[in-house]
Structure formats: structure tokens, C-alpha cells
Amino acid sequence: MSDIRPIKDDRRPKVYIETYGCQMNVNDSEVILSILQDSGYALTEDIEEASVILANTCSIRDNAEQRIWGRIEQFRLQKNRRENVIIGIVGCMAERLKDKLLDSRTVDIVAGPDSYRSLPELIRNVTPETPQMNVLLSQEETYADITPVRMDKNGVSAYITIMRGCNNVCSYCVVPYTRGTERSRDPETIVREAAELFDNGYREVSLLGQNVDSYLWKDPVTADRNVNFAQLLEMVARISPELRVRFSTSHPKDISDEVIYTMAMYDNICRHIHLPVQSGSNAMLEKMRRKYTAEWYLGRVRKIRSVMPDCGLTTDIIAGFCGETEQDHRDTLALMEEAAFDAAFMFQYSERPGTLAARKYPDDVPPEVKTARLNEIIALQNRLSRESNEKDLGKTFKVLIEGVSKRNSDELFGRTSSNKVCVFPAAGHNIGDYVTVEAVSCTSATLIAKLIQ
Ligand code: SAH
Ligand code: SF4
Ligand code: F3S
């Protein structure tokens, strides 16, 4: 069995890994570390002692890429001081920009999300004159047999990638180009990984995919034994009632009643759905190729709330997509009010080269209008989040303790099943314990609670 924690060994050459982007990238970095540990490397948190420096990158918006270009400039300084250090850019930006990254002459390795198994070889073959690149996308790669080496500090909560790639072509989105076509991972390997995490003290797993509702495993031998997402959720939930199960991301067009009812059947499947709406305007949704309407979306919200009234609901919103009018923007605000989201990730539209939107629609909402609309969306969400938290005052929650509060070392924090962050007095409890708390006050971001047991 492979190690699930970083190996400590001073004799090994060191790799330093920086991670940008989504939860999937966090988990991919753990896969990368597993592969590199097997080939003799050890992780370091000190960039100065690393012989290999990797940045696992994100392309989702232009500012994510600009940050990496800035970072590459800083890596150049490392290189000026230490001739033999190897700089690798991996992940979505590697896949999107390919050899353009090598033109900087700072980068030695470019490796896309499906080529991590080749990293040891790429590192072996690098010389100052021969940078190495592997950006092949795969129809099959799921890294199913690789045990990620967990880099988190607490040992409580872990990510498990259940599928890779994406078959939706939302017109604004770069992910299908950087991560390729959708493929689902063998459910047995998922359940085994979750059980092993539980045996190692972890108490929460988050199942990850760009569109988890389209997870479908077809048994390669007996094609009649398919496993869909609802069935997978149930298989993981049955490992132990003490293991919390979360998942992300659901797509509004695909989230099924079967998933909603499966959640309701198991207390340890957390009452939280991240359901990105993107816009409340049907004209925008159509242009975004989201394949649902605002009415359909609100119908799904009603279904979720009727089956699980206590279910947390969060979303993603894009402000200022191509051709967005003031009325389209008002439709988004109205939908937010009606859905009463508990929290949201909110962005200005950023045109991504090569996407359908970049080819078909001018990015014509002026930057200052995008900013003003985004600010309005953020202000509204702050109010909705505060109202949602205020409704929880006086209620009791089971919280899984994840860490010590940053503000006060006598306090701990954790999350409710509905994914709200709770802060409460430590009173001798430990990270990884479950406690029951009562919410006594709140901000828009946090519930402040007292211990009940
Ligand atoms: N697979 C997930 C989303 C992954 S990307 C889903 O379909 O819901 C995370 C979020 O980034 C998206 O939900 C969207 O809100 C935002 N995003 C994606 N592309 C963007 C772009 N070009 N500009 C601004 N925001 C974008
Ligand atoms: Fe991008 Fe759409 Fe796929 Fe999400 S579902 S990753 S937004 S293409
Ligand atoms: Fe994730 Fe960014 Fe890639 S959001 S899938 S790391 S483009």
C-alpha cells in the first residue's frame, strides 16, 4: 500500500509544488506527489531547497493566467541563482498554452492534466538545451490506481476525483479544452480510496468532477453493471456513518431526483449542493449553452428544498457576459433573491481564446459596467448570506472540527452539514471530532456558536 502522507527523507531530492485553481487541481497535485514519491522524490515546503519546482496552474480566467506569468518571472530569479533547478508548469495553463510557455526560457517542463505519469521521465530527460513537453489528452486516464499523497495539514477532509474532463461546451469555458473529454473512474477504486482515508482518520471526503451528475461507470466486461452518481454516492456513504460525504460540482441540467433522494436517505451525505446558475437571464443562459432556463433552475431549487428543507445551496455567477443588458443583469439579481443562495462565487466574464463565445460573440460589456454589476451581485449575496445565517440562530448543528480558529487559538472551526463555517470555544475538543453546537450570532460569512455537548 502506498503512503498517503508525504515521506520525510533528507537523502531524497526535493520537489516543491504550488497549486492554483480549483479543488481538482489540489487533488491533482496530490496525484503528482504520489507519482514523484514513487520515483524517489520527497516534498519540500521550502522552495530554496527544491531541485524541482512545479506550478499546477489554472486557465479559467485571464487574471488566473496573469498571476502565473508573474510567478514564472520569480522562478527565473531562482534559476539565476541555482543553475540546475528544474521549473515545471503543469495543469490547465500548460495544456492551453503548450510551447508558448517554453518561449519564456524559464520553463523546463510543460505537462498537461493527463500526462502526470510521464513526469519522472520528463524530469530525467530535461537538460538546459532540451526542455520537455507532454500535453497529450487522454480518453481513459483517471489515475484510478494512484493513491494521492495528502498534503493537507489536518487529516480530516480529503478530495477524491471521481471523473475527469467535461463534455459540456459552455460557450465561455476553457475547461473542455484544457481537460479533454469526460471519463468516469472505476467506482471500486473510489470506494477503496475513501475507506482507506477513513481508516487513516479522515472524516470527510469530497467527490469531485466538473459535472458529477453525469458520472457513469460502465463495467468494461459485463456492460450491464453500470454505476451512476446516485449509486456511487450511496456506496461511499455506506463506508461509515462517521464519514461525511460531499460532492461538487452539480450541473442544473443533470441533477436528478435520484441524487436528491439518495442524499435525503443518508445523514452522512452533507446537505449541501453547489449548483452554479451563471445567470438569471434566459437569453444569456442560451448563449452560454447551459441548456436550462431560469425557470428550470428554480424548479430544481424547489425540488431540493421540498425534499431537504435544511439543504445549503450555493452557486457561481458570471457578470457581464457577451451582450448582457441591464435587464439581463436584473434577471440575475431577481433569481438570486428567489433562490436565496447561502453563498456564491461571483466573477466578471473573462474571454478565453478559442472558446465558442470568443469566436462568436464580442466581449462587449465595458469593463466598468462589468465591475459595477459584479459589485451589485456581491452586495446582494452578502445580504442573502447574512439573512441565511440569521435564520440559523438558535438552531443546533453537528459540526466536524477542521482546525483552530485563525483569530483566536482558544476557538475551533468546522462546518455544518449545510457547509456553513462555524466558530466555537475549543473546550478540550480535537480536530476531527464531531460536536453539537448552537448558533448564537453571525456575520455574513460565519456562524458563531456555543457547544451543546
Ligand atoms: N464545472 C463547473 C464549473 C467549473 S469552472 C460547472 O459547470 O458548474 C468554475 C466557475 O468559473 C464556473 O461555474 C463559472 O462561474 C466560472 N467561469 C468559467 N469560465 C469563466 C469565464 N470565462 N469568465 C468568468 N468566469 C468563468
Ligand atoms: Fe466548463 Fe460548463 Fe464543463 Fe462546467 S460544465 S467545466 S462551466 S464547460
Ligand atoms: Fe480547475 Fe482552473 Fe483547470 S478551475 S479545471 S484548474 S482551468
Side-chain angles (χ1 to χ4, degrees):
M1 200 166 74
S2 324
D3 295 279
I4 81 159
R5 282 294 188 174
I7 293 174
K8 299 263 182 290
D9 184 345
D10 286 341
R11 290 160 304 179
R12 288 176 167 231
K14 299 288 184 291
V15 58
Y16 172 88
I17 309 178
E18 252 174 34
T19 307
Y20 299 84
C22 60
Q23 298 170 329
M24 229 170 225
N25 256 16
V26 172
N27 195 218
D28 278 2
S29 289
E30 296 174 326
V31 167
I32 291 170
L33 180 58
S34 179
I35 291 166
L36 291 182
Q37 270 193 186
D38 282 352
S39 77
Y41 281 83
L43 182 70
T44 177
E45 287 177 15
D46 178 5
I47 196 167
E48 300 293 331
E49 66 163 14
S51 47
V52 178
I53 296 173
L54 297 179
N56 189 4
T57 60
C58 175
S59 283
I60 200 81
R61 284 167 291 275
D62 184 58
N63 56 11
E65 289 195 351
Q66 292 312 323
R67 236 174 116 197
I68 307 293
W69 283 117
R71 218 34 207 137
I72 291 174
E73 284 306 305
Q74 290 166 337
F75 291 157
R76 192 196 302 272
L77 304 178
Q78 286 284 332
K79 244 188 141 147
N80 291 346
R81 270 188 287 129
R82 300 190 292 134
E83 223 171 73
N84 292 327
V85 68
I86 295 173
I87 311 288
I89 300 296
V90 306
C92 290
M93 196 172 157
E95 192 64 49
R96 194 178 89 74
L97 294 176
K98 304 185 171 65
D99 46 355
K100 282 205 194 95
L101 288 161
L102 298 178
D103 297 344
S104 66
R105 307 191 64 81
T106 300
V107 177
D108 303 292
I109 291 175
V110 174
D114 287 343
S115 63
Y116 297 147
R117 286 180 204 267
S118 70
L119 274 173
E121 193 190 337
L122 299 176
I123 293 171
R124 250 191 328 272
N125 293 343
V126 151
T127 70
E129 294 73 38
T130 52
Q132 303 288 310
M133 179 163 81
N134 184 350
V135 287
L136 287 178
L137 285 172
S138 156
Q139 312 262 0
E140 292 95 33
E141 181 63 274
T142 59
Y143 301 110
D145 56 317
I146 291 176
T147 305
V149 175
R150 304 292 168 176
M151 288 187 246
D152 60 281
K153 296 276 181 282
N154 331 323
V156 176
S157 186
Y159 296 132
I160 301 182
T161 300
I162 63 166
M163 59 205 295
R164 300 182 71 85
C166 183
N167 280 356
N168 298 304
V169 261
C170 302
S171 61
Y172 51 82
C173 183
V174 78
V175 172
Y177 306 93
T178 63
R179 290 192 167 251
T181 51
E182 183 183 288
R183 64 222 96 122
S184 295
R185 176 177 168 189
D186 181 340
E188 269 176 42
T189 69
I190 296 168
V191 173
R192 204 183 310 134
E193 190 170 310
E196 196 177 315
L197 285 162
F198 184 73
D199 290 343
N200 278 279
Y202 282 82
R203 289 295 172 264
E204 181 178 89
V205 292
S206 298
L207 308 181
L208 303 182
Q210 294 299 349
N211 178 2
V212 290
D213 305 285
S214 69
Y215 175 89
L216 186 64
W217 169 256
K218 297 192 183 119
D219 193 302
V221 189
T222 54
D224 55 332
R225 280 184 28 233
N226 291 352
V227 176
N228 68 16
F229 181 60
Q231 292 161 331
L232 176 71
L233 254 184
E234 181 158 24
M235 287 161 73
V236 179
R238 282 189 170 168
I239 291 170
S240 165
E242 294 295 296
L243 179 68
R244 278 189 165 180
V245 187
R246 297 185 184 274
F247 58 89
S248 186
T249 304
S250 299
H251 196 302
K253 77 176 162 62
D254 293 322
I255 186 166
S256 66
D257 289 355
E258 191 188 356
V259 165
I260 298 169
Y261 290 124
T262 304
M263 289 177 74
M265 264 163 49
Y266 290 88
D267 277 345
N268 60 325
I269 304 180
C270 289
R271 300 289 187 264
H272 170 227
I273 299 179
H274 184 63
L275 199 64
V277 67
Q278 316 298 0
S279 171
S281 148
N282 285 338
M284 290 298 107
L285 289 170
E286 165 95 42
K287 261 181 154 173
M288 288 174 165
R289 294 218 170 189
R290 288 292 283 180
K291 303 202 168 81
Y292 54 81
T293 59
E295 294 73 29
W296 166 270
Y297 184 90
L298 290 168
R300 293 283 75 196
V301 171
R302 275 193 297 276
K303 179 74 191 182
I304 292 163
R305 294 238 159 97
S306 73
V307 179
M308 296 176 290
D310 54 349
C311 189
L313 186 71
T314 58
T315 202
D316 294 346
I317 293 174
I318 298 176
F321 186 59
C322 312
E324 187 187 72
T325 62
E326 194 55 31
Q327 184 55 49
D328 294 322
H329 170 59
R330 298 274 142 225
D331 290 349
T332 297
L333 298 173
L335 182 139
M336 291 171 70
E337 288 266 13
E338 189 159 351
F341 295 116
D342 299 294
F345 297 112
M346 298 154 283
F347 316 101
Q348 293 187 31
Y349 171 59
S350 164
E351 184 177 83
R352 308 314 293 129
T355 56
L356 204 75
R359 282 180 272 140
K360 254 179 100 171
Y361 309 118
D363 178 12
D364 53 2
V365 177
E368 61 280 9
V369 176
K370 282 186 187 172
T371 307
R373 288 182 187 166
L374 178 63
N375 286 341
E376 219 176 329
I377 288 169
I378 292 171
L380 171 57
Q381 186 53 51
N382 277 341
R383 170 165 70 74
L384 295 174
S385 299
R386 189 167 335 97
E387 284 170 3
S388 158
N389 282 352
E390 280 164 0
K391 276 196 203 133
D392 282 343
L393 298 182
K395 292 187 192 158
T396 57
F397 297 97
K398 184 176 172 186
V399 169
L400 173 62
I401 304 177
E402 288 174 50
V404 177
S405 160
K406 284 190 196 84
R407 294 228 182 109
N408 180 348
S409 60
D410 294 332
E411 290 184 337
L412 297 169
F413 76 90
R415 276 174 297 158
T416 64
S417 174
S418 61
N419 209 38
K420 288 188 177 176
V421 174
C422 250
V423 176
F424 48 89
H429 289 289
N430 295 311
I431 294 171
D433 291 349
Y434 286 103
V435 285
T436 305
V437 303
E438 181 188 320
V440 290
S441 65
C442 66
T443 66
S444 62
T446 312
L447 293 175
I448 295 137
K450 65 178 186 193
L451 287 160
I452 301 286
Q453 290 166 15

